[in-house]
Amino acid sequence: MNSTTTLRSDVARTGANPNFPITSDPWRKYVSIDLTNSAIPYQARPVRAGVLVLHDWNFNTGFHQNETHTLLLVATTTNELFCYSEADLLQNGSSGKPLWYTSLASSAFPPRTRPGSNMATPIGICGTPVADIPNRRMFVIAMWETGPQEGAGNYSIFEISLDTGHILQSQKLVDTGAAGRITFNPDVVDQRTAINLVGQWLWVGFAAYLAWDDGNYSGWVVAISSNNLAYQLYQPMIDYNHWNDPTVNLRCGGVWGVGGVAAAQDQTVYALTGNGCAGPNGNDILPQSFWSSNPTGPGTSGSYFQALVRIGPTRGAEIAVVDWFQDSTIVQPDNISVTQYENNRDWDFGGSTPLLLPPVNGQNLIAFVPKDGNIFILNAQNLGKFSAGKPVSFADIAVNHGNDTKTALAFFQTADKKNILVVAADSHTTSTGNVGGLAAFQIDASANPPVLTRLWTSPHYLNDSFGSPTLIANPIPDASKPPTPAGLVWVIDGSGGLPGSFSTNCTMRAYDLVSGSVAYDSGTKVEVTETIPNFAAITSGGNSVFCPTISGFMGFTQFSGWSGTGGWNPIGGFFPPGCPITSVTRMPGQLDLFVIGNDGVVYTSWWTEGHLWSGVNGWRNIGGPFPPGARVAAVARTPNNLDLFVCGNDGRVYTSWWTSTSDWSGLNNKWRALGGFFPKGNQVTVVSRTPNNLDLFIVGGDGAVYTSWWTNIADWSGINNNWRNLGGTGTFPSTTRVAAVARTPNNLDLFICGSDGYVYTSWWSNTADWSGIGKPWANLGGKFPPGAMVTAVSRQAQQLDLFIVSNQVYTSWWNNVTGWSGLNGWESLGGFFNPNTEVSVIKRSPGNLDLFACGNDGHVYTSWWSEGNQWSSSKTPNWLDIGGTFPANVHVDGVGRTTGNMDLFICGIDGKAYTSWWNATAL
């Protein structure tokens, strides 16, 4: 299952999602949800927690009972919870709506507003929740207050239903105390660490509420029973005697890393801690006498600051440190231990989260990177207590006088058994070159200590406060056939130091796990403009990678919902390369295609739900002959009727028809001539405004528009070359195409681009003749290439939308209240296409429009609109690439056979027909 139920992907905090299908398709940012709400006291809703992802969740109760969605669980620092559907956001972008919403703040748990914290207020849910899928619940820890004053801060843990968002139970964090240890004070600590659910226990870490390590606080690791939230166990990082000794007054030792604790298979957990200080002023250095009285390390006396600690249950109703590590290596010329040396400089040993590796070369290892940027790999079964560490040098904290790293590592074992550790630290320039940055190492654990061989280093600098690197990896169903790529490493970086612990000028990147090549860089398209929280928690699942922002979250994906992004499907045929294919749907489970071959014959292929395309093994010849590559006009006026029209070699228009009870009338080259005398192969446009009406339109050699019509009680009006002239003589290029739409059974509207580059219209109703007869067609503005193809659609009776290409795609729209928008300038929808390109449009509902065009590179591109939102390409100049390699700028035809299905068709360089389809349920 491609889910993320806990931050860093698993209880061991490997930072790797091993079940994420990765393709060769381009990545893109597809959504940025802004949760800002002026109606709430705080307005902004910062998200510091990672977005949890539950793949294919089936609701068994509540408003969405029996529905299946990939859930996105979002927690804000305003103590609110949102549950979104990934499919909704993939389809509708920022207009997507939550499946459910829960406010803890409105349930008497308002977030903390006391100033002076490391993070900007409000401070509520800052650590990532955890989802318990088997029990259909999630757990959240929230800070709240009874007032803004000192002493009014509290924490509670909540059990939330994943189906409804309802609070199932909640419990305030209350330490009843125990002999020989200090007591937990919720007012002086913050909780930015993710919850880790290990067996039945919920584990969480705490550090300082106030900035600069100020306050009478100790770091804490707390265990809470998931089945009885009142059962809470507390382990401080500071010894009771050191805390109360007036000559030491030991404070600090916070558990800071956003990933929280890492858990082993025996359900013991590991935490990294920060520096210790003398008293509530974080700048006060511990006296030398303290170190002299603890020659075998502070951990020997029960103070676990600047340490890696292992915690487990005792025989009593408590938890305890069962092992620990503090570095005893002597630093010269100071002649003091690394622990003391770095403690004096506030270089936290534990600014991040440890990572428990799966067995490597038979060893159980744990890895982490302190602020100093060195890579530690220790024996997880024997941490060493106060002993000399043997880290691998990676970065140099002293270069920039305190620049540091506070991020976790990531690990993945590839199909060919490469054990790859991804490490990140602030980039620095030294006299010998650059150090730090983002890099990948291969681990050889046969040596002691393990040997790290660098595989690659990113060419991009990393600044302070970047997010921990996170891995997505292709599933490995068969180790003998390793997937490509094996995985991608994601990291987000920005300019830190923004007040409130935020970063701006951010860039999201993804690197190939094995080679380090760049798979995605948001900076190339300036796709990320959001401000993000420091140490942003990147998560993944479903089809997406997510990152929190100062006001919500953003999502990245390769997935478009279009099958063709992984390669368009060939469906047979051998036609003039790039020739137009015409598609029609006469019922939701039926598609019919028509094309004119190299021999001038019309060919058809059809698809019925549950069956393959008939033309895969040969398209059917239904007669002709006509100019090779000319365009067939087709219409389904009922589910049981199809009518085709083509302008022949002799300039006359021909028709062939099919019914459910009779075969094609034009078989054996018996198409019926409908009269007219037009340029050879000119494009015919057909409209069926009722099941018993057909109207044809075509441009003549004189530049005028002509029509012929049929009803079930009268034959074609244009027989005997009696097509009616609708005006425009000399105004329109003789080879262009008329766009026609029937917005009601009693209304017809025509559109065409003139020789002067303006778009013109003429209209008809059952109570008034054509407006363009005897007077000029109405000018709708614009200035486009003469004769450029206009595409028209009516999504409801009083709405019309037009599209045309002039390097970019432009639109103008009409409704019966405001008239035509383009009279004051047509709106650009972006893109970059040849002026001869024709845009195809699909109206799959009154509130949805989808555009398609083939680009200069032969790829097919799309832009979409939904009610209440801008066009997708209005937010970025880039239309979405949905694949293919076809002749540049050729016609793409498309139909929407249901509101949740779209099908596209195009003729390739090889003369074969190709298709790509979109299904809303695949999102």
Side-chain angles (χ1 to χ4, degrees), residues 322-358:
V322 297
D323 198 5
W324 52 279
F325 171 76
Q326 290 167 325
D327 197 344
S328 67
T329 304
I330 298 301
V331 179
Q332 299 293 353
D334 302 68
N335 197 34
I336 58 177
S337 69
V338 165
T339 298
Q340 181 181 354
Y341 180 85
E342 296 194 350
N343 191 75
N344 290 348
R345 288 160 175 78
D346 189 21
W347 295 354
D348 288 349
F349 196 68
S352 64
T353 299
L355 183 161
L356 275 159
L357 281 67

Short mmCIF file of all heavy atoms in Angstrom, two decimals, residues 322-358:
data_model
loop_
_atom_site.label_atom_id
_atom_site.label_comp_id
_atom_site.label_asym_id
_atom_site.label_seq_id
_atom_site.Cartn_x
_atom_site.Cartn_y
_atom_site.Cartn_z
N VAL A 322 17.73 2.75 28.72
CA VAL A 322 18.41 1.46 28.86
C VAL A 322 19.79 1.47 28.22
O VAL A 322 20.58 0.54 28.44
CB VAL A 322 17.55 0.33 28.26
CG1 VAL A 322 16.24 0.19 29.04
CG2 VAL A 322 17.27 0.56 26.78
N ASP A 323 20.10 2.49 27.44
CA ASP A 323 21.43 2.63 26.85
C ASP A 323 21.56 4.05 26.35
O ASP A 323 20.56 4.76 26.14
CB ASP A 323 21.61 1.63 25.70
CG ASP A 323 23.08 1.40 25.34
OD1 ASP A 323 23.96 1.95 26.05
OD2 ASP A 323 23.34 0.68 24.37
N TRP A 324 22.80 4.49 26.15
CA TRP A 324 23.01 5.87 25.72
C TRP A 324 24.40 6.03 25.13
O TRP A 324 25.27 5.16 25.31
CB TRP A 324 22.81 6.86 26.87
CG TRP A 324 23.61 6.52 28.11
CD1 TRP A 324 23.29 5.61 29.07
CD2 TRP A 324 24.87 7.09 28.49
NE1 TRP A 324 24.26 5.56 30.05
CE2 TRP A 324 25.23 6.46 29.73
CE3 TRP A 324 25.71 8.05 27.95
CZ2 TRP A 324 26.42 6.78 30.39
CZ3 TRP A 324 26.88 8.38 28.61
CH2 TRP A 324 27.23 7.73 29.82
N PHE A 325 24.60 7.14 24.42
CA PHE A 325 25.91 7.47 23.88
C PHE A 325 26.14 8.97 23.99
O PHE A 325 25.30 9.79 23.61
CB PHE A 325 26.01 7.07 22.40
CG PHE A 325 27.26 7.58 21.73
CD1 PHE A 325 28.49 6.97 21.97
CD2 PHE A 325 27.21 8.68 20.88
CE1 PHE A 325 29.65 7.46 21.35
CE2 PHE A 325 28.36 9.17 20.27
CZ PHE A 325 29.58 8.56 20.51
N GLN A 326 27.29 9.31 24.56
CA GLN A 326 27.83 10.67 24.53
C GLN A 326 29.29 10.56 24.11
O GLN A 326 30.00 9.64 24.55
CB GLN A 326 27.70 11.35 25.89
CG GLN A 326 26.26 11.69 26.26
CD GLN A 326 26.06 12.06 27.71
OE1 GLN A 326 26.74 11.52 28.59
NE2 GLN A 326 25.12 12.97 27.98
N ASP A 327 29.74 11.46 23.27
CA ASP A 327 31.05 11.34 22.63
C ASP A 327 32.16 11.82 23.56
O ASP A 327 32.20 12.99 23.95
CB ASP A 327 31.07 12.14 21.33
CG ASP A 327 32.22 11.75 20.42
OD1 ASP A 327 33.17 11.09 20.90
OD2 ASP A 327 32.17 12.11 19.23
N SER A 328 33.07 10.90 23.88
CA SER A 328 34.16 11.23 24.80
C SER A 328 35.43 11.67 24.09
O SER A 328 36.44 11.96 24.74
CB SER A 328 34.48 10.01 25.68
OG SER A 328 35.03 8.96 24.88
N THR A 329 35.40 11.69 22.76
CA THR A 329 36.60 12.07 22.01
C THR A 329 37.13 13.41 22.50
O THR A 329 36.36 14.38 22.67
CB THR A 329 36.27 12.14 20.51
OG1 THR A 329 35.73 10.89 20.08
CG2 THR A 329 37.52 12.48 19.69
N ILE A 330 38.43 13.50 22.71
CA ILE A 330 39.05 14.72 23.24
C ILE A 330 39.33 15.70 22.10
O ILE A 330 39.88 15.33 21.05
CB ILE A 330 40.35 14.40 23.98
CG1 ILE A 330 40.06 13.50 25.18
CG2 ILE A 330 41.06 15.68 24.43
CD1 ILE A 330 39.10 14.10 26.18
N VAL A 331 38.94 16.94 22.33
CA VAL A 331 39.16 18.01 21.36
C VAL A 331 40.34 18.85 21.84
O VAL A 331 40.36 19.32 22.99
CB VAL A 331 37.91 18.89 21.21
CG1 VAL A 331 38.16 20.03 20.23
CG2 VAL A 331 36.72 18.05 20.78
N GLN A 332 41.32 19.04 20.98
CA GLN A 332 42.47 19.88 21.30
C GLN A 332 42.34 21.21 20.56
O GLN A 332 41.70 21.29 19.52
CB GLN A 332 43.77 19.16 20.87
CG GLN A 332 44.02 17.84 21.56
CD GLN A 332 44.28 18.00 23.05
OE1 GLN A 332 44.40 19.12 23.56
NE2 GLN A 332 44.32 16.87 23.76
N PRO A 333 42.90 22.30 21.11
CA PRO A 333 43.77 22.31 22.31
C PRO A 333 43.00 22.44 23.62
O PRO A 333 43.61 22.57 24.67
CB PRO A 333 44.64 23.54 22.07
CG PRO A 333 43.71 24.48 21.36
CD PRO A 333 42.84 23.63 20.46
N ASP A 334 41.63 22.40 23.55
CA ASP A 334 40.85 22.62 24.77
C ASP A 334 41.00 21.47 25.77
O ASP A 334 40.74 21.65 26.96
CB ASP A 334 39.38 22.81 24.41
CG ASP A 334 39.16 23.96 23.45
OD1 ASP A 334 39.60 23.84 22.29
OD2 ASP A 334 38.54 24.95 23.84
N ASN A 335 41.37 20.29 25.26
CA ASN A 335 41.53 19.11 26.09
C ASN A 335 40.24 18.76 26.84
O ASN A 335 40.24 18.45 28.02
CB ASN A 335 42.69 19.29 27.09
CG ASN A 335 43.14 17.95 27.67
OD1 ASN A 335 43.12 16.93 26.98
ND2 ASN A 335 43.53 17.94 28.93
N ILE A 336 39.13 18.87 26.13
CA ILE A 336 37.83 18.49 26.69
C ILE A 336 37.13 17.58 25.69
O ILE A 336 37.49 17.50 24.52
CB ILE A 336 36.95 19.73 27.00
CG1 ILE A 336 36.72 20.57 25.73
CG2 ILE A 336 37.56 20.56 28.11
CD1 ILE A 336 35.80 21.75 25.93
N SER A 337 36.10 16.87 26.14
CA SER A 337 35.38 15.93 25.27
C SER A 337 34.57 16.67 24.22
O SER A 337 34.22 17.86 24.38
CB SER A 337 34.45 15.05 26.11
OG SER A 337 33.39 15.84 26.63
N VAL A 338 34.26 15.95 23.16
CA VAL A 338 33.38 16.51 22.13
C VAL A 338 32.06 16.92 22.74
O VAL A 338 31.49 17.98 22.40
CB VAL A 338 33.16 15.48 21.00
CG1 VAL A 338 31.98 15.89 20.12
CG2 VAL A 338 34.39 15.32 20.16
N THR A 339 31.54 16.13 23.65
CA THR A 339 30.26 16.45 24.29
C THR A 339 30.34 17.81 24.98
O THR A 339 29.45 18.65 24.80
CB THR A 339 29.88 15.37 25.31
OG1 THR A 339 29.71 14.12 24.62
CG2 THR A 339 28.59 15.72 26.02
N GLN A 340 31.38 18.06 25.75
CA GLN A 340 31.51 19.34 26.44
C GLN A 340 31.80 20.46 25.44
O GLN A 340 31.21 21.55 25.53
CB GLN A 340 32.62 19.29 27.49
CG GLN A 340 32.78 20.61 28.25
CD GLN A 340 33.88 20.58 29.28
OE1 GLN A 340 34.49 19.53 29.52
NE2 GLN A 340 34.15 21.71 29.91
N TYR A 341 32.69 20.20 24.50
CA TYR A 341 33.10 21.22 23.53
C TYR A 341 31.90 21.73 22.73
O TYR A 341 31.68 22.94 22.60
CB TYR A 341 34.16 20.63 22.59
CG TYR A 341 34.66 21.58 21.53
CD1 TYR A 341 35.70 22.47 21.80
CD2 TYR A 341 34.11 21.57 20.26
CE1 TYR A 341 36.17 23.34 20.83
CE2 TYR A 341 34.57 22.43 19.27
CZ TYR A 341 35.60 23.31 19.56
OH TYR A 341 36.06 24.16 18.58
N GLU A 342 31.10 20.82 22.19
CA GLU A 342 29.97 21.22 21.37
C GLU A 342 28.82 21.74 22.24
O GLU A 342 28.06 22.61 21.81
CB GLU A 342 29.52 20.07 20.48
CG GLU A 342 30.60 19.68 19.47
CD GLU A 342 30.10 18.79 18.35
OE1 GLU A 342 28.95 18.30 18.44
OE2 GLU A 342 30.85 18.59 17.37
N ASN A 343 28.69 21.22 23.46
CA ASN A 343 27.67 21.74 24.36
C ASN A 343 27.92 23.21 24.68
O ASN A 343 26.98 24.01 24.73
CB ASN A 343 27.66 20.92 25.65
CG ASN A 343 26.45 21.23 26.52
OD1 ASN A 343 25.34 20.81 26.22
ND2 ASN A 343 26.67 21.98 27.60
N ASN A 344 29.19 23.57 24.88
CA ASN A 344 29.52 24.97 25.19
C ASN A 344 29.15 25.91 24.05
O ASN A 344 28.99 27.11 24.26
CB ASN A 344 31.01 25.10 25.49
CG ASN A 344 31.40 24.44 26.80
OD1 ASN A 344 30.54 24.08 27.61
ND2 ASN A 344 32.70 24.27 27.01
N ARG A 345 29.04 25.38 22.83
CA ARG A 345 28.79 26.21 21.65
C ARG A 345 27.35 26.09 21.13
O ARG A 345 27.04 26.59 20.07
CB ARG A 345 29.78 25.82 20.55
CG ARG A 345 31.20 26.29 20.86
CD ARG A 345 32.26 25.52 20.09
NE ARG A 345 33.58 26.10 20.35
CZ ARG A 345 34.28 25.89 21.46
NH1 ARG A 345 33.78 25.12 22.42
NH2 ARG A 345 35.47 26.46 21.62
N ASP A 346 26.51 25.38 21.89
CA ASP A 346 25.12 25.16 21.47
C ASP A 346 25.06 24.42 20.12
O ASP A 346 24.19 24.65 19.30
CB ASP A 346 24.34 26.49 21.37
CG ASP A 346 22.85 26.27 21.16
OD1 ASP A 346 22.36 25.17 21.47
OD2 ASP A 346 22.17 27.18 20.65
N TRP A 347 26.03 23.54 19.92
CA TRP A 347 25.99 22.68 18.74
C TRP A 347 25.31 21.38 19.15
O TRP A 347 25.94 20.42 19.58
CB TRP A 347 27.41 22.40 18.21
CG TRP A 347 28.10 23.63 17.69
CD1 TRP A 347 27.58 24.87 17.54
CD2 TRP A 347 29.46 23.70 17.26
NE1 TRP A 347 28.51 25.74 17.04
CE2 TRP A 347 29.69 25.04 16.85
CE3 TRP A 347 30.52 22.79 17.18
CZ2 TRP A 347 30.91 25.48 16.37
CZ3 TRP A 347 31.74 23.22 16.69
CH2 TRP A 347 31.93 24.54 16.29
N ASP A 348 24.00 21.38 19.04
CA ASP A 348 23.22 20.24 19.53
C ASP A 348 23.68 18.93 18.88
O ASP A 348 23.84 18.85 17.66
CB ASP A 348 21.73 20.43 19.22
CG ASP A 348 21.10 21.50 20.07
OD1 ASP A 348 21.74 21.93 21.04
OD2 ASP A 348 19.96 21.90 19.77
N PHE A 349 23.89 17.94 19.73
CA PHE A 349 24.15 16.60 19.23
C PHE A 349 22.89 16.05 18.58
O PHE A 349 22.95 15.28 17.64
CB PHE A 349 24.61 15.70 20.38
CG PHE A 349 25.27 14.43 19.92
CD1 PHE A 349 26.50 14.47 19.27
CD2 PHE A 349 24.68 13.20 20.15
CE1 PHE A 349 27.11 13.30 18.84
CE2 PHE A 349 25.29 12.02 19.73
CZ PHE A 349 26.51 12.08 19.07
N GLY A 350 21.76 16.45 19.11
CA GLY A 350 20.48 15.95 18.60
C GLY A 350 19.60 17.06 18.10
O GLY A 350 18.68 17.50 18.80
N GLY A 351 19.86 17.56 16.91
CA GLY A 351 18.94 18.51 16.30
C GLY A 351 18.00 17.82 15.34
O GLY A 351 17.10 18.44 14.78
N SER A 352 18.22 16.51 15.12
CA SER A 352 17.43 15.80 14.12
C SER A 352 16.91 14.49 14.69
O SER A 352 16.81 14.33 15.91
CB SER A 352 18.28 15.55 12.87
OG SER A 352 19.37 14.69 13.17
N THR A 353 16.61 13.56 13.82
CA THR A 353 16.00 12.29 14.20
C THR A 353 16.93 11.14 13.83
O THR A 353 17.47 11.12 12.72
CB THR A 353 14.66 12.11 13.46
OG1 THR A 353 13.79 13.18 13.84
CG2 THR A 353 14.00 10.78 13.78
N PRO A 354 17.13 10.17 14.71
CA PRO A 354 17.96 9.02 14.35
C PRO A 354 17.23 8.10 13.38
O PRO A 354 16.01 8.12 13.27
CB PRO A 354 18.22 8.34 15.69
CG PRO A 354 17.03 8.69 16.52
CD PRO A 354 16.62 10.08 16.09
N LEU A 355 18.02 7.26 12.71
CA LEU A 355 17.48 6.33 11.72
C LEU A 355 18.00 4.94 12.04
O LEU A 355 19.21 4.71 12.09
CB LEU A 355 17.92 6.75 10.32
CG LEU A 355 17.43 5.98 9.09
CD1 LEU A 355 17.61 6.84 7.84
CD2 LEU A 355 18.17 4.66 8.88
N LEU A 356 17.09 4.00 12.29
CA LEU A 356 17.46 2.61 12.51
C LEU A 356 17.49 1.88 11.18
O LEU A 356 16.47 1.77 10.49
CB LEU A 356 16.47 1.93 13.45
CG LEU A 356 16.76 2.14 14.94
CD1 LEU A 356 15.51 1.90 15.76
CD2 LEU A 356 17.88 1.22 15.41
N LEU A 357 18.67 1.39 10.81
CA LEU A 357 18.81 0.69 9.55
C LEU A 357 18.31 -0.75 9.71
O LEU A 357 18.44 -1.34 10.78
CB LEU A 357 20.27 0.67 9.10
CG LEU A 357 20.82 1.92 8.44
CD1 LEU A 357 20.90 3.08 9.41
CD2 LEU A 357 22.19 1.65 7.83
N PRO A 358 17.77 -1.31 8.64
CA PRO A 358 17.52 -2.75 8.68
C PRO A 358 18.86 -3.47 8.74
O PRO A 358 19.90 -2.85 8.48
CB PRO A 358 16.79 -3.01 7.35
CG PRO A 358 17.19 -1.88 6.47
CD PRO A 358 17.40 -0.70 7.35
#
